[in-house]
Amino acid sequence: MTSERNRKRLVDRLMEEGIVDQRVLRAIGAVQRHRFVDEALANMAYRDTALPIGHGQTISQPLIVARMTEALLEAGPFERVLEVGTGSGYQAAVLAEITDQVLTVERIRPLYQRAGRLLRELGYHNVRLRQSDGSWGWPQLGPFERIVVTAGGSQIPEALREQLAPGGVLVIPVGPSGRQELIRVTRQGSDWHEESLGLVSFVPLVSD
Ligand code: SAM
């Protein structure tokens, strides 16, 4: 089956799972997920599952990528987003299909380098990458309308709350490795409103 047909089937599956935002479904239908995994795993790339990408890390499950992206969009459209945890670069590519500028931070150098090369090769010139500890955000470029964190920590890093623009939204898994609650934080003036979006399973957010 062609990768295009596989993507169409994945989109159908995400719709069955309750994803409704057409921008998210179109983006998942457009990004070549098989390019973001090792060639040996390419035949599994359009299954709705997380897959290993080396260095003990994973490319997230498409349903979770879709849910997190939808959670960012529910507060309205946005032009710029910060992602913490570039990993393979897949979530960054999905966001790049939807918005003008994606900033993404990865702490593991080889993953940062590989994702950068691939995103450039695939023509995602609206993604800017940085290698660093993303728990500190990207202070020079903040504040951000949206922040999404694709690794889970025991608490929400203060720097990320502070780098939210007024009305901005942060989506982050919080809790022990492999069993976290997905939290959406909305900044309202000097208040931060938190809501739970359900349970998820992410690799740990590692602070240096
Ligand atoms: N968004 C990724 C994708 O689409 O492939 C999935 C990423 S994987 C589940 C989580 C990533 O977060 C890993 O690559 C890990 O190295 C990275 N990470 C963990 N702690 C981090 C930190 N403090 N700063 C930046 N990246 C971090």
Side-chain angles (χ1 to χ4, degrees), residues 57-58 60 83 85-88 91 106-108 133-134 150 203 206:
Q57 306 303 324
T58 53
S60 306
E83 178 195 29
T86 314
S88 67
Q91 167 88 70
E106 170 59 53
R107 57 180 287 278
I108 299 178
D133 175 358
T150 67
V203 295
V206 180

Side-chain angles (χ1 to χ4, degrees), residues 62-191:
L63 178 60
I64 301 301
V65 172
R67 284 221 175 112
M68 290 174 92
T69 310
E70 216 172 41
L72 296 173
L73 281 162
E74 272 164 8
F78 54 91
E79 291 177 358
R80 209 164 68 117
V81 58
L82 172 69
E83 178 195 29
V84 175
T86 314
S88 67
Y90 177 70
Q91 167 88 70
V94 169
L95 291 167
E97 292 278 347
I98 289 172
T99 192
D100 291 351
Q101 200 188 10
V102 180
L103 306 157
T104 181
V105 183
E106 170 59 53
R107 57 180 287 278
I108 299 178
R109 188 160 184 81
L111 292 180
Y112 151 80
Q113 288 172 322
R114 190 170 68 196
R117 271 195 305 272
L118 181 60
L119 289 163
R120 276 192 297 279
E121 192 184 317
L122 295 177
Y124 290 108
H125 301 297
N126 56 340
V127 181
R128 190 165 159 193
L129 299 93
R130 178 186 193 195
Q131 189 214 339
S132 71
D133 175 358
S135 333
W136 297 99
W138 195 330
Q140 300 85 344
L141 299 185
F144 303 102
E145 297 168 87
R146 300 288 183 275
I147 303 176
V148 61
V149 183
T150 67
S154 57
Q155 54 198 17
I156 301 173
E158 204 46 44
L160 297 183
R161 283 182 197 274
E162 290 297 337
Q163 283 170 40
L164 270 185
V169 171
L170 159 68
V171 174
I172 179 168
V174 181
S177 175
R179 190 183 155 77
Q180 299 104 352
E181 212 171 339
L182 190 62
I183 305 286
R184 177 164 54 192
V185 181
T186 307
R187 183 168 193 173
Q188 291 155 339
S190 51
D191 275 349

